[in-house]
Every structure is written in C-alpha cells, then in structure tokens.
Amino acid sequence: DQQVKQNSPSLSVQEGRISILNCDYTNSMFDYFLWYKKYPAEGPTFLISISSIKDKNEDGRFTVFLNKSAKHLSLHIVPSQPGDSAVYFCAAKTGANSKLTFGKGITLSVRP
Amino acid sequence: DTEVTQTPKHLVMGMTNKKSLKCEQHMGHRAMYWYKQKAKKPPELMFVYSYEKLSINESVPSRFSPECPNSSLLNLHLHALQPEDSALYLCASSQGGTGGGKLFFGSGTQLSVL
C-alpha cells in the first residue's frame, strides 16, 4: 500500500520556466511533509518542508504548497535551472517519532 | 560540520564474504539510520538507532547486522549476502526522535554482491 504517491515518473522543463512537482498521499494522519533532492551516486539532500498547519512554505526559488482536503502537495521551482536536474522525493510522517514514508520519486530534467 | 560520511563508497563482495559499512557524523545528532535504495526506487528504511539503542528494525534479514559503537558512529555488518542485496546503502542522521523529519544523508555505499 503506497501511502505517498508521485505518479509522474519524470518531468522536463525549459530553463527559466516553472517546474511543478506533484505528490499525493492517502494517510490523513500525516502531519509533516518534506521534499528531498537526489543526484546520481549521492545521498538525498533535504530541500524544503511543510507542517500540516500551513498551506505554503517558501525558501528562495522553492515553494511547497499543501492542500490537506485534497491530500496533495506540490513543489514549485521558479525559475528552473539546469542544476535542478535531479530526482525529487516527496516524504511524509505522522508525528515527531514516526518514520518517514517516501514516494517513488520524480526525475526532473531542466533543458538549457 | 553538516556532513554524514560513509565508507567505502563502493564495495564488491562475494556471497561468502564478511564486510562492514561505516558511517560517521559529528553534528551531535542522536538518531542514526540505515536505508537501502535500489535504482529508481525510494529509500527503504532498514534500522534506526536512537540514543545508541536500536529502536526500529524493519524486519531486515539477519545477514545484515547493525552496530552503534557510540553516538557518532554507525556500522552495518554484512555476511552471506545474496545478489539481490546489491543496492545503494545510505546512512542518515537526525537531531532527535526515532522517526526522521529532517534527515541528513551520506553519499552512500554502492554495494555489488556477486
């Protein structure tokens, strides 16, 4: 049972445009959501997070939106840069001491 | 120092070998993790140590044996592995708790079992 779903395996965008990466979840008990970015042969690096009490969190070019009623979150990257090309994992947890549940990841390619 | 250091970066072993993966962090984090990741799949949690005690074992086969000698070090001892155990093994740490949140990952050990 996949509780965190990233249904699109890949996304390709032009440099300078907006990248929108989507994530859906089924467990209504999730209360904290994170995005990780992973380059090949490296470990994932934390990108941005959002608590369920908020609907938006912004950090530079990265913004995460949370729609609790739809059980949907999205990561917006604007403007996209070639260095953003990587695999992006959505992850969620149900409380301070619960384990992270990861989605399958989405491969973003930013074309120069 | 915000790094999690893993050694070796690459490891090739036979099914009868015994080897160990090592992980080190000096961020004062009290939770450390082992994850396994296959190509095009999400990281899968294997073990969690919280305050140097094993707090989560995700039903991992006994051919994988974790060890936490102190709050900065985490080892994964490997014995009699199978070819299907070939994967990227990731160590991670976090400030507290047993579940994660903002994890700091190492670069991983790419393991090939022949």
Side-chain angles (χ1 to χ4, degrees):
Chain A
D1 176 31
Q2 203 181 337
Q3 297 186 63
V4 177
K5 302 178 185 181
Q6 294 177 261
N7 293 321
S8 301
S10 62
L11 175 68
S12 180
V13 300
Q14 191 76 39
E15 181 179 6
R17 300 288 184 101
I18 185 170
S19 296
I20 300 177
L21 289 70
N22 293 309
C23 178
D24 296 292
Y25 61 96
T26 58
N27 187 344
S28 57
M29 299 300 291
F30 284 143
D31 62 0
Y32 194 66
F33 304 88
L34 306 93
W35 284 92
Y36 283 83
K37 173 181 175 179
K38 185 180 185 302
Y39 293 117
E42 292 185 14
T45 54
F46 170 78
L47 199 54
I48 193 168
S49 63
I50 189 167
S51 163
S52 61
I53 62 173
K54 295 187 174 183
D55 55 18
K56 176 182 174 181
N57 189 25
E58 194 170 353
D59 184 2
R61 295 185 298 115
F62 302 92
T63 304
V64 57
F65 295 93
L66 175 62
N67 182 334
K68 287 191 293 292
S69 60
K71 294 192 180 69
H72 176 83
L73 62 154
S74 60
L75 175 68
H76 293 211
I77 306 173
V78 57
S80 302
Q81 299 173 354
D84 296 328
S85 298
V87 178
Y88 289 79
F89 290 99
C90 172
K93 63 200 302 275
T94 58
N97 291 323
S98 75
K99 67 178 185 180
L100 277 181
T101 300
F102 283 90
K104 286 188 174 181
I106 178 170
T107 300
L108 173 65
S109 299
V110 179
R111 306 185 304 273
Chain B
D1 183 2
T2 58
E3 276 194 354
V4 176
T5 304
Q6 287 188 246
T7 56
K9 290 196 181 304
H10 302 276
L11 179 63
V12 179
M13 60 187 290
M15 289 190 283
T16 58
N17 292 158
K18 283 186 183 181
K19 296 286 184 185
S20 296
L21 310 184
K22 296 186 184 302
C23 175
E24 190 168 359
Q25 58 88 13
H26 295 288
M27 294 179 277
H29 290 173
R30 301 316 299 266
M32 295 186 76
Y33 311 76
W34 281 115
Y35 280 83
K36 172 182 176 179
Q37 186 174 25
K38 293 257 192 182
K40 300 191 186 303
K41 298 283 188 184
E44 295 176 28
L45 182 65
M46 301 174 73
F47 302 104
V48 182
Y49 273 82
S50 179
Y51 293 88
E52 299 157 52
K53 289 189 173 10
L54 183 64
S55 60
I56 296 178
N57 176 341
E58 290 287 302
S59 303
V60 179
S62 59
R63 57 186 185 268
F64 295 92
S65 174
E67 178 197 17
C68 188
N70 60 54
S71 60
S72 299
L73 296 175
L74 186 66
N75 299 322
L76 186 63
H77 303 297
L78 315 172
H79 174 54
L81 295 194
Q82 304 297 310
E84 59 265 28
D85 296 321
S86 298
L88 181 68
Y89 288 84
L90 293 163
C91 174
S93 69
S94 67
Q95 269 192 318
T98 59
K102 187 176 176 181
L103 297 179
F104 290 77
F105 283 89
S107 295
T109 294
Q110 188 66 55
L111 174 68
S112 297
V113 181
L114 304 178

